[in-house]
Amino acid sequence: MNRILAPGLLGLSLATSSLAHAEPVKIGVITTLSGGGAGLGIDMRDAFTLAIKQSGNKDVELVIEDDAQKPELAVQIAEKMIQGDKVDLMTGIIWSNLAMAVVPNTVAQDVIYLSPNAGPSALAGANCNANYFNVAYQNDNFHEAMGQYANKDYKNAFILAPNYPAGKDALTGFKRYYKGALAGEIYTQVGQTDYAAEIAQIRASGADTVYFFLPGGMGIAFMKQYAQSGVNIPVMGPGFSFSQDVLPAIGDAALGVKNSATWSKDLDNEANKKFVEAFKAEYKRLPSIYAAQSWDTANLILAALSKASVKDKDAFRAALKAADFQSVRGKFVFNNNNHPIQNIYVREVVKEADGVLTNKIIATAFEDHKDAYAEKCSM
C-alpha cells in the first residue's frame, strides 16, 4: 500500500496544530490510483486536494491510499486508517463493490463516510445510516434519466452493464423509466476488455439502440471495438461512460452520443465556472464528473467544518446535512436518506474548436430528482 499525504497539506496541519484554537482534521481517502480504473480515482484525488488547497484551510490532513480496485485491499486500508491513522472522516471510493466492502463497517465504527461517487442501492434504502452521506447520486439515477430520454426515439433497446452492484443498479434504473421492449439484456465481467461476443449479440438482436454502462477502461474498449465492428445501431450511456477522463481515448467514435449526468462543464453558475477554470489551470486538462463530485465533497466538508467540530458528531452531521456550500451543480439538497435531490441532464458529445472532445447539455431529463429507495430509509 502506498501512503500519500496531499502535497503541502500535512505541513500546514502540523504547523498549526500546536495553536490552542486549531483543530486538525484527518481525512482518509481511499481511491483507485492504479489499473484500468485509475483515471477515475486520479480525477477524484486531484479535485479533492485542489479544493482543500484553494480553501486555505491549514488544519486538514489527507491520508490518500490506492485501493487498486480490489475490495479486499480497500477493507485493509480502511481498517488501518480507522484504527491506526485515527481518521475523522473517510471518502474517495469510486467503485460500488468496494463501497459495499468498506462503508458498512466504517459507519458502524461511528466514522462518517462521504461518497464522491459510488451510490449502491443497498446503502440508500433500509440500510441507510446517519454516518453515510452520498454527495454524488444513487447508482440508478443517471440510468433512470436515459431510460426516460430513450422513450423519445426508441422502442427496442439492447442493454448491458458489468456484473457488480453498480451494473445491476444501472440496468434496474434504466428499466424503471424505459417503456419500450428489450432486444437483449446482458451482464459482462468487471474489467472485461474483449466485447466481440456481446457486439455479435447486438448485431443479431434487431435493437434500435444500445444502452450501456461500462465505466473507465471497459467503456473505452467497448466503444473502440463497437466502432470497428461496423454495427450501425446508435448507442447511449450514462455520463460515466462518456466522461471527460475517457473521451480522449474513445476518440471520434463518441461524437454525437447522448449521455446523462448531474453535471457538465457548461453548467452556467459561478461555482462551476470557478471550478472548471481552477482545475484546468492546475492540471492542464478538463475536469470529469468524478472531479466535479469530488470537488463538491471537499467543499461540503469544508463548509461543515466552518460550522461545527468534527469531534461533535451530532453537530457535524447536522452541518453536513444542511449542505450549505456552493455546488458546481447549482441547487443541491440532501434527501432524508442523505442522498442528493438534484437535476439530471442529457448531454451530447461534441468537439470544440481546439479539437477537444467534451459534452454539452441538450436537455433536462429530471428536475429535483429523488432516488427510488429513500422511502425505505427510516431517517
Side-chain angles (χ1 to χ4, degrees), residues 131-169:
N131 284 327
Y132 175 67
F133 289 81
N134 190 298
V135 197
Y137 51 83
Q138 191 279 315
N139 280 348
D140 301 22
N141 293 163
F142 287 17
H143 316 286
E144 291 170 338
M146 288 311 292
Q148 175 86 336
Y149 188 76
N151 293 323
K152 178 171 168 284
D153 296 311
Y154 303 112
K155 299 184 183 303
N156 195 27
F158 192 106
I159 60 176
L160 68 157
N163 189 16
Y164 79 119
K168 294 174 182 177
D169 287 347

Side-chain angles (χ1 to χ4, degrees), residues 57-375:
N57 189 317
K58 299 181 179 182
D59 299 316
V60 175
E61 176 186 340
L62 303 184
V63 182
I64 305 176
E65 300 218 27
D66 177 17
D67 59 39
Q69 207 176 327
K70 297 177 181 177
E72 65 278 9
L73 180 56
V75 169
Q76 293 173 15
I77 295 170
E79 280 304 295
K80 177 180 175 291
M81 286 183 172
I82 294 168
Q83 301 299 331
D85 296 314
K86 304 296 182 184
V87 296
D88 298 294
L89 306 168
M90 290 181 66
T91 189
I93 293 175
I94 298 294
W95 305 88
S96 287
N97 55 332
L98 274 69
M100 288 305 301
V102 168
V103 172
N105 188 52
T106 296
V107 298
Q109 296 183 67
D110 206 25
V111 175
I112 294 172
Y113 183 90
L114 299 100
S115 178
N117 190 64
S121 56
L123 300 179
N127 293 321
C128 63
N129 190 286
N131 284 327
Y132 175 67
F133 289 81
N134 190 298
V135 197
Y137 51 83
Q138 191 279 315
N139 280 348
D140 301 22
N141 293 163
F142 287 17
H143 316 286
E144 291 170 338
M146 288 311 292
Q148 175 86 336
Y149 188 76
N151 293 323
K152 178 171 168 284
D153 296 311
Y154 303 112
K155 299 184 183 303
N156 195 27
F158 192 106
I159 60 176
L160 68 157
N163 189 16
Y164 79 119
K168 294 174 182 177
D169 287 347
L171 300 192
T172 297
F174 183 86
K175 290 185 291 183
R176 184 173 288 123
Y177 283 85
Y178 174 63
K179 295 179 172 59
L182 291 179
E185 177 179 356
I186 54 177
Y187 289 96
T188 61
Q189 295 299 309
V190 176
Q192 185 170 326
T193 56
D194 183 355
Y195 293 94
E198 288 80 6
I199 292 171
Q201 290 182 58
I202 291 168
R203 187 194 300 272
S205 70
D208 58 5
T209 189
V210 176
Y211 181 79
F212 74 93
F213 164 56
L214 295 166
M218 292 180 283
I220 295 169
F222 176 82
M223 280 300 295
K224 284 187 170 182
Q225 292 163 35
Y226 192 81
Q228 292 165 3
S229 74
V231 176
N232 194 29
I233 302 170
V235 298
M236 302 182 297
F240 320 111
S241 296
F242 298 93
S243 188
Q244 199 65 48
D245 54 297
V246 297
L247 283 177
I250 295 174
D252 286 354
L255 277 172
V257 172
K258 310 296 194 301
N259 62 92
S260 52
T262 53
W263 172 86
S264 187
K265 76 177 184 67
D266 57 330
L267 270 178
D268 190 13
N269 66 69
E270 283 305 309
N272 192 44
K273 291 175 183 176
K274 290 177 181 177
F275 159 62
V276 173
E277 182 180 340
F279 193 92
K280 283 176 64 178
E282 185 79 8
Y283 301 115
K284 313 305 180 205
R285 69 182 191 273
L286 290 173
S288 68
I289 192 164
Y290 301 99
Q293 292 167 172
S294 182
W295 180 270
D296 272 359
T297 302
N299 281 296
L300 169 65
I301 292 171
L302 289 163
L305 287 172
S306 72
K307 292 186 171 185
S309 166
V310 74
K311 308 300 182 186
D312 184 341
K313 289 289 174 64
D314 287 341
F316 192 73
R317 281 190 291 257
L320 289 172
K321 188 84 168 191
D324 188 16
F325 74 107
Q326 297 300 308
S327 170
V328 297
R329 287 166 270 180
K331 183 180 177 183
F332 181 102
V333 296
F334 280 117
N335 204 351
N336 65 295
N337 63 344
N338 293 348
H339 284 63
I341 300 172
Q342 58 190 333
N343 292 353
I344 306 179
Y345 305 97
V346 178
R347 311 183 303 177
E348 181 178 343
V349 179
V350 298
K351 184 178 285 188
E352 296 191 326
D354 59 3
V356 174
L357 291 170
T358 189
N359 286 283
K360 71 171 184 179
I361 294 172
I362 60 169
T364 301
F366 293 124
E367 291 187 1
D368 298 332
H369 189 59
K370 302 176 182 180
D371 69 81
Y373 304 94
E375 63 184 22

